[in-house]
mmCIF file with all atom_site columns, all heavy atoms in Angstrom:
data_model
loop_
_atom_site.group_PDB
_atom_site.id
_atom_site.type_symbol
_atom_site.label_atom_id
_atom_site.label_alt_id
_atom_site.label_comp_id
_atom_site.label_asym_id
_atom_site.label_entity_id
_atom_site.label_seq_id
_atom_site.pdbx_PDB_ins_code
_atom_site.Cartn_x
_atom_site.Cartn_y
_atom_site.Cartn_z
_atom_site.occupancy
_atom_site.B_iso_or_equiv
_atom_site.pdbx_formal_charge
_atom_site.auth_seq_id
_atom_site.auth_comp_id
_atom_site.auth_asym_id
_atom_site.auth_atom_id
_atom_site.pdbx_PDB_model_num
ATOM 1  N N   . CYS A 1 310 ? 111.237 155.910 30.325 1.00 0.00 ? 310 CYS A N   1
ATOM 2  C CA  . CYS A 1 310 ? 112.215 154.892 30.735 1.00 0.00 ? 310 CYS A CA  1
ATOM 3  C C   . CYS A 1 310 ? 113.573 155.496 30.615 1.00 0.00 ? 310 CYS A C   1
ATOM 4  O O   . CYS A 1 310 ? 114.420 155.382 31.528 1.00 0.00 ? 310 CYS A O   1
ATOM 5  C CB  . CYS A 1 310 ? 112.050 153.595 29.872 1.00 0.00 ? 310 CYS A CB  1
ATOM 6  S SG  . CYS A 1 310 ? 113.329 152.383 30.271 1.00 0.00 ? 310 CYS A SG  1
ATOM 7  N N   . ASN A 1 311 ? 113.924 156.105 29.459 1.00 0.00 ? 311 ASN A N   1
ATOM 8  C CA  . ASN A 1 311 ? 115.257 156.753 29.283 1.00 0.00 ? 311 ASN A CA  1
ATOM 9  C C   . ASN A 1 311 ? 115.560 157.852 30.285 1.00 0.00 ? 311 ASN A C   1
ATOM 10 O O   . ASN A 1 311 ? 116.625 158.114 30.615 1.00 0.00 ? 311 ASN A O   1
ATOM 11 C CB  . ASN A 1 311 ? 115.335 157.301 27.851 1.00 0.00 ? 311 ASN A CB  1
ATOM 12 C CG  . ASN A 1 311 ? 115.401 156.149 26.812 1.00 0.00 ? 311 ASN A CG  1
ATOM 13 O OD1 . ASN A 1 311 ? 115.733 155.061 27.018 1.00 0.00 ? 311 ASN A OD1 1
ATOM 14 N ND2 . ASN A 1 311 ? 115.013 156.534 25.570 1.00 0.00 ? 311 ASN A ND2 1
ATOM 15 N N   . LEU A 1 312 ? 114.468 158.450 30.765 1.00 0.00 ? 312 LEU A N   1
ATOM 16 C CA  . LEU A 1 312 ? 114.563 159.545 31.774 1.00 0.00 ? 312 LEU A CA  1
ATOM 17 C C   . LEU A 1 312 ? 114.626 159.006 33.215 1.00 0.00 ? 312 LEU A C   1
ATOM 18 O O   . LEU A 1 312 ? 114.751 159.763 34.188 1.00 0.00 ? 312 LEU A O   1
ATOM 19 C CB  . LEU A 1 312 ? 113.391 160.505 31.616 1.00 0.00 ? 312 LEU A CB  1
ATOM 20 C CG  . LEU A 1 312 ? 113.457 161.503 30.388 1.00 0.00 ? 312 LEU A CG  1
ATOM 21 C CD1 . LEU A 1 312 ? 112.154 162.213 30.249 1.00 0.00 ? 312 LEU A CD1 1
ATOM 22 C CD2 . LEU A 1 312 ? 114.559 162.404 30.400 1.00 0.00 ? 312 LEU A CD2 1
ATOM 23 N N   . GLY A 1 313 ? 114.540 157.674 33.289 1.00 0.00 ? 313 GLY A N   1
ATOM 24 C CA  . GLY A 1 313 ? 114.745 157.054 34.574 1.00 0.00 ? 313 GLY A CA  1
ATOM 25 C C   . GLY A 1 313 ? 113.527 156.612 35.328 1.00 0.00 ? 313 GLY A C   1
ATOM 26 O O   . GLY A 1 313 ? 113.519 156.241 36.484 1.00 0.00 ? 313 GLY A O   1
ATOM 27 N N   . TYR A 1 314 ? 112.344 156.689 34.702 1.00 0.00 ? 314 TYR A N   1
ATOM 28 C CA  . TYR A 1 314 ? 111.119 156.261 35.363 1.00 0.00 ? 314 TYR A CA  1
ATOM 29 C C   . TYR A 1 314 ? 110.974 154.751 35.050 1.00 0.00 ? 314 TYR A C   1
ATOM 30 O O   . TYR A 1 314 ? 110.563 154.267 34.063 1.00 0.00 ? 314 TYR A O   1
ATOM 31 C CB  . TYR A 1 314 ? 109.926 156.992 34.742 1.00 0.00 ? 314 TYR A CB  1
ATOM 32 C CG  . TYR A 1 314 ? 108.680 156.952 35.544 1.00 0.00 ? 314 TYR A CG  1
ATOM 33 C CD1 . TYR A 1 314 ? 108.459 157.871 36.577 1.00 0.00 ? 314 TYR A CD1 1
ATOM 34 C CD2 . TYR A 1 314 ? 107.621 156.012 35.279 1.00 0.00 ? 314 TYR A CD2 1
ATOM 35 C CE1 . TYR A 1 314 ? 107.335 157.839 37.384 1.00 0.00 ? 314 TYR A CE1 1
ATOM 36 C CE2 . TYR A 1 314 ? 106.505 156.027 36.099 1.00 0.00 ? 314 TYR A CE2 1
ATOM 37 C CZ  . TYR A 1 314 ? 106.365 156.963 37.125 1.00 0.00 ? 314 TYR A CZ  1
ATOM 38 O OH  . TYR A 1 314 ? 105.207 156.864 37.890 1.00 0.00 ? 314 TYR A OH  1
ATOM 39 N N   . GLU A 1 315 ? 111.280 153.925 36.119 1.00 0.00 ? 315 GLU A N   1
ATOM 40 C CA  . GLU A 1 315 ? 111.429 152.483 35.954 1.00 0.00 ? 315 GLU A CA  1
ATOM 41 C C   . GLU A 1 315 ? 110.149 151.798 35.548 1.00 0.00 ? 315 GLU A C   1
ATOM 42 O O   . GLU A 1 315 ? 110.196 150.836 34.748 1.00 0.00 ? 315 GLU A O   1
ATOM 43 C CB  . GLU A 1 315 ? 111.920 151.955 37.255 1.00 0.00 ? 315 GLU A CB  1
ATOM 44 C CG  . GLU A 1 315 ? 113.396 152.266 37.558 1.00 0.00 ? 315 GLU A CG  1
ATOM 45 C CD  . GLU A 1 315 ? 113.917 151.606 38.803 1.00 0.00 ? 315 GLU A CD  1
ATOM 46 O OE1 . GLU A 1 315 ? 113.199 150.745 39.401 1.00 0.00 ? 315 GLU A OE1 1
ATOM 47 O OE2 . GLU A 1 315 ? 115.079 151.980 39.248 1.00 0.00 ? 315 GLU A OE2 1
ATOM 48 N N   . GLU A 1 316 ? 109.006 152.169 36.046 1.00 0.00 ? 316 GLU A N   1
ATOM 49 C CA  . GLU A 1 316 ? 107.740 151.595 35.716 1.00 0.00 ? 316 GLU A CA  1
ATOM 50 C C   . GLU A 1 316 ? 107.519 151.610 34.153 1.00 0.00 ? 316 GLU A C   1
ATOM 51 O O   . GLU A 1 316 ? 107.013 150.568 33.621 1.00 0.00 ? 316 GLU A O   1
ATOM 52 C CB  . GLU A 1 316 ? 106.528 152.171 36.428 1.00 0.00 ? 316 GLU A CB  1
ATOM 53 C CG  . GLU A 1 316 ? 105.260 151.411 36.237 1.00 0.00 ? 316 GLU A CG  1
ATOM 54 C CD  . GLU A 1 316 ? 104.105 151.985 37.043 1.00 0.00 ? 316 GLU A CD  1
ATOM 55 O OE1 . GLU A 1 316 ? 104.370 152.870 37.983 1.00 0.00 ? 316 GLU A OE1 1
ATOM 56 O OE2 . GLU A 1 316 ? 102.988 151.647 36.805 1.00 0.00 ? 316 GLU A OE2 1
ATOM 57 N N   . ALA A 1 317 ? 107.983 152.583 33.552 1.00 0.00 ? 317 ALA A N   1
ATOM 58 C CA  . ALA A 1 317 ? 107.760 152.750 32.077 1.00 0.00 ? 317 ALA A CA  1
ATOM 59 C C   . ALA A 1 317 ? 108.558 151.698 31.345 1.00 0.00 ? 317 ALA A C   1
ATOM 60 O O   . ALA A 1 317 ? 108.206 151.274 30.213 1.00 0.00 ? 317 ALA A O   1
ATOM 61 C CB  . ALA A 1 317 ? 108.160 154.142 31.652 1.00 0.00 ? 317 ALA A CB  1
ATOM 62 N N   . CYS A 1 318 ? 109.696 151.262 31.921 1.00 0.00 ? 318 CYS A N   1
ATOM 63 C CA  . CYS A 1 318 ? 110.586 150.336 31.281 1.00 0.00 ? 318 CYS A CA  1
ATOM 64 C C   . CYS A 1 318 ? 109.884 148.918 31.084 1.00 0.00 ? 318 CYS A C   1
ATOM 65 O O   . CYS A 1 318 ? 110.255 148.098 30.392 1.00 0.00 ? 318 CYS A O   1
ATOM 66 C CB  . CYS A 1 318 ? 111.886 150.202 31.997 1.00 0.00 ? 318 CYS A CB  1
ATOM 67 S SG  . CYS A 1 318 ? 112.794 151.703 32.171 1.00 0.00 ? 318 CYS A SG  1
ATOM 68 N N   . ARG A 1 319 ? 108.853 148.740 31.936 1.00 0.00 ? 319 ARG A N   1
ATOM 69 C CA  . ARG A 1 319 ? 108.160 147.459 31.920 1.00 0.00 ? 319 ARG A CA  1
ATOM 70 C C   . ARG A 1 319 ? 106.887 147.484 31.015 1.00 0.00 ? 319 ARG A C   1
ATOM 71 O O   . ARG A 1 319 ? 106.175 146.550 30.962 1.00 0.00 ? 319 ARG A O   1
ATOM 72 C CB  . ARG A 1 319 ? 107.703 147.083 33.388 1.00 0.00 ? 319 ARG A CB  1
ATOM 73 C CG  . ARG A 1 319 ? 108.917 146.834 34.300 1.00 0.00 ? 319 ARG A CG  1
ATOM 74 C CD  . ARG A 1 319 ? 108.467 146.279 35.634 1.00 0.00 ? 319 ARG A CD  1
ATOM 75 N NE  . ARG A 1 319 ? 107.745 147.251 36.448 1.00 0.00 ? 319 ARG A NE  1
ATOM 76 C CZ  . ARG A 1 319 ? 108.332 148.086 37.292 1.00 0.00 ? 319 ARG A CZ  1
ATOM 77 N NH1 . ARG A 1 319 ? 109.664 148.124 37.413 1.00 0.00 ? 319 ARG A NH1 1
ATOM 78 N NH2 . ARG A 1 319 ? 107.620 148.918 38.015 1.00 0.00 ? 319 ARG A NH2 1
ATOM 79 N N   . ARG A 1 320 ? 106.600 148.679 30.429 1.00 0.00 ? 320 ARG A N   1
ATOM 80 C CA  . ARG A 1 320 ? 105.452 148.744 29.455 1.00 0.00 ? 320 ARG A CA  1
ATOM 81 C C   . ARG A 1 320 ? 105.841 148.471 28.067 1.00 0.00 ? 320 ARG A C   1
ATOM 82 O O   . ARG A 1 320 ? 107.000 148.738 27.691 1.00 0.00 ? 320 ARG A O   1
ATOM 83 C CB  . ARG A 1 320 ? 104.927 150.200 29.573 1.00 0.00 ? 320 ARG A CB  1
ATOM 84 C CG  . ARG A 1 320 ? 104.329 150.532 30.886 1.00 0.00 ? 320 ARG A CG  1
ATOM 85 C CD  . ARG A 1 320 ? 103.092 149.734 31.280 1.00 0.00 ? 320 ARG A CD  1
ATOM 86 N NE  . ARG A 1 320 ? 102.450 150.155 32.471 1.00 0.00 ? 320 ARG A NE  1
ATOM 87 C CZ  . ARG A 1 320 ? 101.461 150.938 32.447 1.00 0.00 ? 320 ARG A CZ  1
ATOM 88 N NH1 . ARG A 1 320 ? 101.001 151.490 31.439 1.00 0.00 ? 320 ARG A NH1 1
ATOM 89 N NH2 . ARG A 1 320 ? 100.858 151.339 33.642 1.00 0.00 ? 320 ARG A NH2 1
ATOM 90 N N   . PRO A 1 321 ? 104.934 147.932 27.305 1.00 0.00 ? 321 PRO A N   1
ATOM 91 C CA  . PRO A 1 321 ? 105.233 147.687 25.895 1.00 0.00 ? 321 PRO A CA  1
ATOM 92 C C   . PRO A 1 321 ? 105.464 148.904 25.107 1.00 0.00 ? 321 PRO A C   1
ATOM 93 O O   . PRO A 1 321 ? 104.804 149.991 25.346 1.00 0.00 ? 321 PRO A O   1
ATOM 94 C CB  . PRO A 1 321 ? 103.999 147.012 25.372 1.00 0.00 ? 321 PRO A CB  1
ATOM 95 C CG  . PRO A 1 321 ? 102.850 147.375 26.287 1.00 0.00 ? 321 PRO A CG  1
ATOM 96 C CD  . PRO A 1 321 ? 103.565 147.564 27.694 1.00 0.00 ? 321 PRO A CD  1
#
Side-chain angles (χ1 to χ4, degrees):
C310 178
N311 291 336
L312 289 170
Y314 198 83
E315 292 186 4
E316 186 177 350
C318 303
R319 299 187 288 271
R320 292 297 186 90

